[in-house]
Amino acid sequence: MSDWITITIDGKEIQAKPGELLVDAAARAGIHIPVFCYHPKLDPLGACRMCLVEAEGRRGKMLITACTTPVADGGVYYYESERAVDARQGTLELILINHPLDCPICDKGGECPLQDQTLEHGPGKSHFWEEKNHKAKHYPLSDLIMLDQERCIVCWRCIRYLEEWEDKPQLGLFHRGGETVIDKFPDGKLDAYTSGSIIDICPVGALTNRLARFSYRPWELEKTPSICTHCGMGCNLRIDSRTHRIRRNVARENAAVNDEWICDKGRFAMGFASHPERLQEPLARINGELRPVSWPEALDRVVRGLKRVVETHGPAAVAAIGSAKLSNEANYLLAKFMRGVVGSNNLDFREGSAVVADPRGIPSLADARDADVIVLMGCDPGEEMPVLANFLKRAVLRGGAKMIIVHPRAIELTQYAAAFINPTIGAESAAFDALTRATLDASDAIIPDWLPEVEEAAQVAGISVEDVREAARLLSQAKRPFIVYGVDYAWGYGARNLVTALTNWVVAAGHGERLGFLHSQANALGAADMGMAPDRLPGHRPLSDARARRELEARWQTEIPTQPGLSYGAMMASTPDRIRALYLMGADPVGEKPADAKALAELDFLVVQDMFLTESAKLADVVLPAASYAESRGTFTNTERRVQRAPQAVRTVGKSVADWAILMHLARRYAPDKKDAWDTPSVDAIFAEIAEVVPAYRGMSWENLGESGQQWPRDAVSLSRELRPHSGAAIPPSPDYPFRLVVGSLLWDGGTVFAATPQMAGLARQAAWLHPDDAARLGVQEGDAIEIRSRGGSIRTFAHLDPSIKPGSVFAPYSFPAAPVGNLFDDYVPRTSVAIEKVT
Amino acid sequence: MLSDTARSEIQALMGRYPQPRSAILPALYVAQREIGWLPTEAMDEIATLFGMEPMEVYAIAGFYNMLYKEPKGRYHIEICTNVPCKLRGADKMAEHLQKRLGVGFGETTEDGQFTLDHMECLGSCATGPMFFVRRSGSDWGRYYEDLTPERIDAILEDLLSGEDWPMERSPAGPYHHDHHPETNFLLARIDKPDSHTIESYLADGGYQTAPKVLAMSPQEVIDEVKKAGVRGRGGAGFPAGVKWGFIPKDLYPRYLVVNADESEPGTFKDRLIIEYDPHELLEGIICTAWAIQAHYAFIYIRGEYMFGAQRLNQAIAEAKARGFLGKHIFGTDFDLEVIVHRGAGAYICGEETALLSSLEGYRGHPRLKPPFPAVAGLYAKPTIVNNVETISHVRHVLEHGADWYRQWGTERSPGFQLICLSGQVKKPGVYEIPYGTTFRELIYDMAGGTVDDRPIKSIIPGGLSMPHILPDKLDIGIDFESLQQAGSLLGSGGVIVICEGENIVPITRRTLGFYREESCGKCSPCREGVGWMEKILKRVEAGQGTLSDLDTMERVTKYIEQQSFCPFGPAAVWGLQSTLRHFRSEFEAYILETNPDQEKPSLPARPIYRPYVGEPLENMLDD
């Protein structure tokens, strides 16, 4: 242990790391020095004076704060000395004099560091006879967080969190001395996307969760270590429930994934679990109306309906759509049911095969935190993954990382970018050609003849040559780059060319192995791993791989059809000609694109398995009520290939059943002869089967995933990366549809899961974003109703003017049911040409 | 909301500083001058100009007393009621003002002409009682000193007449000041007419030291100041030359910050130099900046010294015009910019790290040490913070040499210093005396003794923070070591004399009131404890004290003293600790007289905490 130094605390020798804080060194040795203002994830402040210990100094023993003192080799400290104990008692007595001591009705009571430390270190008696200071109580900081200034002990943790992790100093101190309070700007907002973290780190009950307060005592809570399924990051959280209702979510530490933070969507958007509109029992269409039926009857109807189509039109007339929000087990069983029981390869999910994703996701989330260069192409972590966005900001602000952003609009992270490249929409591949060429020009590599000159390509892309050269230089010189692209550039017109072009740049810079795709959906990577694709078997093995097929056939007691199935878009387009029956699991095509209602209405048979009576479910022949992820057990695979557990936290609603169980029972009824292949009576058993048939998951089991999950090895799926020509020509402008549609996600959208939490309704704001100059030309002002039209359809929404929008484009976010952008896509792809009109 | 002129003025201010955020206080002053106060809309606009979150601006404005968060009357009158003025009858004047204006403190007269407030020490203790008047929507503000009820009436009449009284006063104004027969250097010129102008300064041989110093090597300058043993006059007495030597080699840029935030009650010496001999200070700044190789010097002057800031800016303009400041000063390759930065009413900003926080455009909270400012100070660069008087001494030391300086004072406290004498003496004022001069010489020989020749009860020897000493110490020398031996400290050199007949309870209570008002709120012991001590003292004064209160105060002040974040904590309670030590029997007698049965105070009614309090508290207490 040559790197360690020795210090002495209360006469006991302790090994410590040079330069670490005394409070941390002591904790490792089992001495837990009490703290309030200190937090291991925040810069030391030294304000609360709780962690006083004595230190041997040049002028004898002196009191020091353990949270601000780096240990010195041979340092001698006294934690239990009479003076140190007395000093801590003194601090605690002072902290308590103006604290209201309303523990009996305080949400924090029972898990409150102030309570606990008072018990352990407090003087046991107060000498305070005066009137306490009065300050604001139940003061809402936002729709989500309540502040009680009297309980606050002014430790600054919340202020520092927002400054150091969010770079959004939205809370601060006001007044001074004994009147000091935490406050926000009077007309200001506390709207940082991870603002709820300050509730977790508040050492008293000053900051409380408005959606949870007064609904539990901490000691009565059932605490289930789980994960969040709102995005592809897979942040670890804990679901706290009481009487089978989720009371709150709190962050759970996973150093490799989310550190100890979660975003506000993950924390607060939990209303889906106990929503009154949740489906309570199976429904079947009887005499044209959906009516409650029993489970056996519902399943029999599904079996009969599907069999009738298979018998009449063949198994290839049946299709199924899975979900990137549902577990590996659910998606695996749906794929197994379709291929192994029905006999069809028509399998896909939204943003599934249409997206040119890297099946291995990103190399690692942890890379983001110590990267020296960050490249974001067509993804917006600020809205899609707020916790990752904070890591990236911090890498720039504290680690000196350089950020390069290539995006159709200026996103929040743009302010941290060393280079922001904003190519003409529809000509993005030219921008990457310019970057590739600039990279190769600056090296001694051979330049392929198909690559245009920098100036030429830059002109096509409408970007500056200086920016291109700067970005190319930064990435070429990077040592530990974090390079990701997202769905904005991997989906839609010319996406395949675009991804080839952006890959070329990264390959040219010598970082091909570092490039990754940032999956924005919780289990998009897992669903693909499970074979939820028309031409891929579980484990990303091609359908044409005969050996892979044989292995599965043996396991599934079946024969797998060799003809590749249809993709999501193709399924919708070929109804009812080729597709006569559709099985939707957690998918709502009509909600995404109301125009698809026509295709669904023409089906012979439609099954919808969902939590809610979605727009698609309203057209169904049978509706099967599914349990939410919190009510069932399952594994999810995040964008860095980390397979994580989400155990059941609360009981199911009504007669709803977990997705995997519905599918298992359905398969057993459909094919009683294959009972052995469907002997999977638990998630653990299904996962064991997955671990056998998906090579990358080999060796995993529910047990050994543990509380922080396991990553499947990146080399389990090989992908060659080299310079490749592409045929990416700019999409020509269309005179009738002069605007280019940019789509993307906002954290606060109007999606089902989010809308199910009514307390958050005020956060989402439906709008299409326009550049003020374009708006002026159209005679449109902020908030005006506008119509956006494409060849395919139209939506109505409201204008929001923002100078960061590229002139000539309009940004319309997904997941606002009243303005379903899917209606605008031709053949279900974004980057469409549209026209905009003011609605009068 | 802000005019284009104001916006461009703010933008220009941002350009003056190495980091634009430093211009936030000046910018808020600009907005306040224009609007009269700081509505949130104005703060919002300023935040946009600075690229900050509105919250940050709000938090800053909320820290400083001179920034108004609500509208004030046309004239804002702030009367000092701190101990030195109190000893000279400030309470009576405050009462008169309230009666005359018909409003209480914190209120505005119905006609909107006057807002009245009581104030902490404004650095005018020898001329107390006094008040400070500012006119809303302008840069006009001035002190009115040596108040009597008649004078107050006359002043109010004059203010109402709409006539502007000049901010400027006759040479050295109404200040009493005197000097020791041997040492008359720092204040030698302040009686002369126009002593503040560069012509007057040059005529007296000014700006001859700086070019000599610029010809020396920086190390030679540091060595000379080290040899002279010039000790810091801000309060801690740390040797200036030694501090300068702490700057790490090869770390640039470096900054010089002159601490002119003279706010320690009982201290008003720097103000004399600033207002009446600013070039003396500027020449000291040039010498010091050369020694530490700094190209920027900031004078952080307390916001109430509006007149001083004006004088400094005039002096800087004069010196710049002659090539003594700016680029290539005195024809050398050395550049030096001096920027006057006004504080906005926060005592804690006299603490050097808090001052740096404030100068960087943050709330004035003290910072962790280490790193010390000499290593990582302003903008995390090496920074020397020295008091105005210290830097003025430097100029004289470099003119005459270290040996000359050392002929006065003691071995460890060499030279001479400015002592601010206030309280109940016949001739309060600033005295320039060699270290080692005794209190008896100062009070009786130089200042003519006490008011009405009353016997001395107690002396606060170094500004209000310092422990009292009793008159048995009259014959000790005024120097760092002697005072330390006597159980106190020389501090900032503010000697406050309290005579027999004064009740120690209200004096102590008022002392704590000051520190409660000025605590920055960062650390728990100071934030919570100082207010607690004041609450106890108020209760004792009101006749509800018990003897156990004295034990409580003794015990709790120990915590405040030993475990606060910065020196403010100990400074806040040393006065109380020393009066408890010296005058315990007086406290006991007062308590027994006013509360003979030793009744315990009734515990205040606790509000009922409910999840939602929709109705007034009184209604809830009934059920």
Side-chain angles (χ1 to χ4, degrees), chain B residues 344-366:
Chain B
Y347 166 79
I348 187 64
C349 292
E351 195 280 330
E352 61 176 357
T353 60
L355 186 155
L356 295 174
S357 302
S358 178
L359 183 51
E360 287 177 4
Y362 294 86
R363 289 164 60 91
H365 292 293

Side-chain angles (χ1 to χ4, degrees), chain A residues 23 109 129 148-149 155-156 207 259 265 331 408 453 458 526 557-558 561 588 611 616 619 721 732 756 767 772 810:
Chain A
V23 64
W129 286 348
D148 184 320
Q149 290 177 339
C155 73
W156 304 24
L207 295 165
D259 205 337
K265 195 171 193 173
N331 281 296
E453 294 285 343
Q557 297 179 309
T558 189
D588 180 18
M611 288 156 58
S616 306
L619 304 171
R721 289 230 157 97
V810 53

Side-chain angles (χ1 to χ4, degrees), chain B residues 508-568:
Chain B
T508 311
R509 186 262 304 152
R510 187 61 187 83
T511 303
L512 268 293
F514 170 69
Y515 293 100
R516 189 258 308 132
E517 172 68 29
E518 296 295 341
S519 165
C520 83
K522 177 167 183 166
C523 72
S524 333
C526 174
R527 179 184 66 240
E528 306 292 341
V530 177
W532 183 10
M533 297 302 98
E534 191 205 17
K535 278 179 179 170
I536 294 181
L537 286 163
K538 272 183 165 168
R539 182 162 50 72
V540 168
E541 193 181 352
Q544 290 174 22
T546 67
L547 293 176
S548 67
D549 286 329
L550 303 180
D551 301 331
T552 300
M553 290 195 289
E554 236 167 32
R555 193 173 59 82
V556 175
T557 54
K558 178 191 74 184
Y559 297 133
I560 301 171
E561 181 196 6
Q562 73 177 10
Q563 54 214 52
S564 290
F565 184 90
C566 81
F568 183 102

Side-chain angles (χ1 to χ4, degrees), chain A residues 374 376 379-383 388-390 392-393 403 405 410-418:
Chain A
I374 294 160
L376 304 176
C379 58
D380 179 6
E383 294 287 348
L388 175 65
N390 284 354
L392 297 175
K393 287 180 204 171
M403 195 187 287
I405 295 179
I411 55 176
E412 192 219 337
L413 288 175
T414 307
Q415 58 181 302
Y416 304 95

Side-chain angles (χ1 to χ4, degrees), chain B residues 171-240:
Chain B
Y175 303 108
H176 308 269
H177 64 91
D178 208 337
H179 56 86
H180 194 270
E182 292 171 33
T183 51
N184 184 23
F185 303 101
L186 264 58
L187 302 184
R189 304 183 54 258
I190 68 171
D191 278 333
K192 299 189 176 183
D194 297 325
S195 61
H196 62 285
T197 60
I198 199 162
E199 289 81 11
S200 152
Y201 187 66
L202 287 167
D204 287 331
Y207 285 121
Q208 287 179 12
T209 309
K212 275 192 337 202
V213 169
L214 288 167
M216 295 163 71
S217 79
Q219 192 54 48
E220 282 169 345
V221 183
I222 295 177
D223 290 343
E224 193 66 19
V225 173
K226 232 185 237 180
K227 197 174 149 205
V230 179
R231 295 183 61 167
R233 297 321 202 265
F238 196 82

Side-chain angles (χ1 to χ4, degrees), chain A residues 244-307:
Chain A
H244 305 288
R245 279 184 77 134
I246 300 180
R247 302 291 163 163
R248 66 172 181 185
N249 291 334
V250 296
R252 187 164 66 85
E253 186 169 1
N254 186 336
V257 179
N258 54 313
D259 205 337
E260 56 184 81
W261 317 118
I262 57 175
C263 77
D264 289 354
K265 195 171 193 173
R267 181 183 307 274
F268 299 106
M270 53 186 195
F272 61 86
S274 52
H275 197 274
E277 285 171 24
R278 279 285 298 277
L279 290 171
Q280 304 279 337
E281 51 197 332
L283 306 172
R285 192 165 297 280
I286 298 167
N287 298 331
E289 258 178 55
L290 284 174
R291 293 203 182 146
V293 292
S294 70
W295 267 108
E297 184 182 347
L299 290 177
D300 283 342
R301 278 173 181 265
V302 175
V303 170
R304 281 204 304 274
L306 292 177
K307 279 192 172 161

